[in-house]
Amino acid sequence: MSLTPHFSPTPCDTAGLSFWLLICARARRFLVKIRYDMPVHVLAKRIADICQVYTQEASLRMLACTAILTAVDDERGPQLFKIDSAGMVFPYKATAAGAKGHEATNWLEKKVAAVPDTDDDETVQTAIMCLQHVLSSDFKGSDLEVGFVTEGGRFRSLGEAEIEAHLTAISEKDM
């Protein structure tokens, strides 16, 4: 589901669904009131503030929920934020979440530091290589869902055939 052409949050599991709904509601309310898309840094800060308040209340904190928001801002360029359920928000160049999120984030930071400017294909391939490295497994196109924000600021999901093409390119690089 794409909320706006520039913003498409994706729920990862049922535990994160309430987090996803909160993000969608805040972004939609801003769009209706102000008549333009909420900048991602403002949305990330607002969601983090709400989570921090719920952290202080007994039994209201959303456990094991992490949100990763990305967009291309007109003034600030590409932005990526990670928000956790305690209300902490941090900007990143590349990040990951989940069971091996720290290992994946470390791997991504090394790769991004080595090659800071990449095109869309290189970025997608780097993300897939990170998954392959951290999880120590090979994937098929049907095993992955890949989405990214293009330079124009639009969210785009890749189809299974496009993912297979990237997997083939990665395997040809390794040889």
Side-chain angles (χ1 to χ4, degrees):
M1 174 190 140
S2 183
L3 190 59
T4 72
H6 304 285
F7 180 68
S8 181
T10 305
C12 298
D13 56 13
T14 54
L17 190 58
S18 59
F19 210 25
W20 177 74
L21 291 171
L22 174 66
I23 292 168
C24 290
R26 289 293 165 173
R28 177 58 78 182
R29 184 165 38 175
F30 187 90
L31 180 64
V32 168
K33 282 175 110 175
I34 311 297
R35 303 271 185 210
Y36 68 90
D37 292 334
M38 178 183 270
V40 71
H41 68 279
V42 174
L43 179 60
K45 179 72 174 117
R46 286 202 183 163
I47 298 302
D49 289 345
I50 292 167
C51 289
Q52 202 280 326
V53 168
Y54 280 114
T55 296
Q56 295 174 352
E57 299 289 329
S59 302
L60 293 178
R61 181 176 177 179
M62 293 179 277
L63 299 176
C65 293
T66 300
I68 297 174
L69 302 178
T70 182
V72 178
D73 189 59
D74 294 337
E75 297 171 3
R76 297 181 179 207
Q79 294 185 302
L80 177 69
F81 293 92
K82 185 191 238 181
I83 310 164
D84 76 351
S85 59
M88 294 190 308
V89 61
F90 295 104
Y92 287 91
K93 292 277 185 196
T95 190
K100 295 190 177 187
H102 292 294
E103 185 181 346
T105 299
N106 290 338
W107 191 91
L108 284 167
E109 285 174 353
K110 290 176 189 173
K111 290 293 182 183
V112 169
V115 185
D117 294 325
T118 60
D119 62 351
D120 291 344
D121 290 338
E122 186 79 26
T123 302
V124 169
Q125 290 171 15
T126 302
I128 293 171
M129 285 189 301
C130 177
L131 282 173
Q132 289 176 333
H133 173 77
V134 171
L135 299 176
S136 300
S137 66
D138 291 327
F139 297 106
K140 297 182 292 193
S142 60
D143 295 339
L144 299 172
E145 288 184 37
V146 178
F148 63 97
V149 178
T150 63
E151 269 189 50
R154 296 212 177 258
F155 183 83
R156 182 169 176 261
S157 294
L158 296 182
E160 192 174 322
E162 291 174 297
I163 295 171
E164 280 292 340
H166 284 293
L167 289 168
T168 303
I170 290 169
S171 65
E172 289 173 358
K173 278 184 189 177
D174 291 339
M175 292 182 179

